Amino acid sequence: MTAVAERKAAAPGQRVRKRKMPGQKRMLAASVMILVGAFLPWLYTPLGNFTGMNGPGMWTATVGMLALAGAIVPLRMLAIGQALITAGVCLVIPVWQFWHMFSQVGMAGWMPGPGLLLTFVGGLLCGIAAWQLWTLEAAEA
């Protein structure tokens, strides 16, 4: 059923909801993963656990909210931009954090935590969502 037919079938005072674009549900899941990952431990060390909020978790939590906004915005290009920004930040920061610790002390005495992994996987999901939203136009044409 087309959008025009749906509007005609709806009652006069009733609003018709638009369907979510294909990548938006994935962006919603990614934003939840990123936001939860910001508060979980990023590094386990003998000195204690280091959560993401002690450092770069503030950046990832901020772009996690950006991904949440991209999951509900009805404009495709805006959602793509938000997904790309979130993917960039949430892929670069965990990789840099891991590489920085690895170059400092190797793998002796520390281990990456679940927050680091959740943030990285959330960034991957946002990248996939951006790709899905970008290729949506070619499929409709």
Side-chain angles (χ1 to χ4, degrees), residues 44-130:
Y44 292 124
T45 66
L47 301 175
N49 300 338
F50 292 99
T51 64
M53 293 311 256
N54 289 341
M58 292 293 273
W59 287 86
T60 59
T62 302
V63 295
M65 292 302 291
L66 186 68
L68 180 63
I72 59 176
V73 72
L75 303 172
R76 188 175 134 263
M77 291 306 286
L78 188 59
I80 291 170
Q82 290 169 322
L84 287 175
I85 292 169
T86 304
V89 170
C90 290
L91 290 174
V92 169
I93 288 179
V95 167
W96 174 83
Q97 184 79 39
F98 180 83
W99 185 256
H100 180 71
M101 284 299 293
F102 184 75
S103 66
Q104 295 292 318
V105 293
M107 287 302 287
W110 72 279
M111 207 169 79
L116 196 69
L117 182 65
L118 276 174
T119 303
F120 183 76
V121 172
L124 281 176
L125 282 178
C126 273
I128 293 169

Side-chain angles (χ1 to χ4, degrees), residues 5-26:
E6 285 178 2
R7 273 188 249 127
K8 287 181 181 177
Q14 203 175 26
R15 283 184 47 181
V16 177
R17 293 182 67 191
K18 291 177 77 175
R19 289 185 52 195
K20 291 280 185 202
M21 291 177 275
Q24 286 187 313
K25 287 184 182 177
R26 185 166 279 125

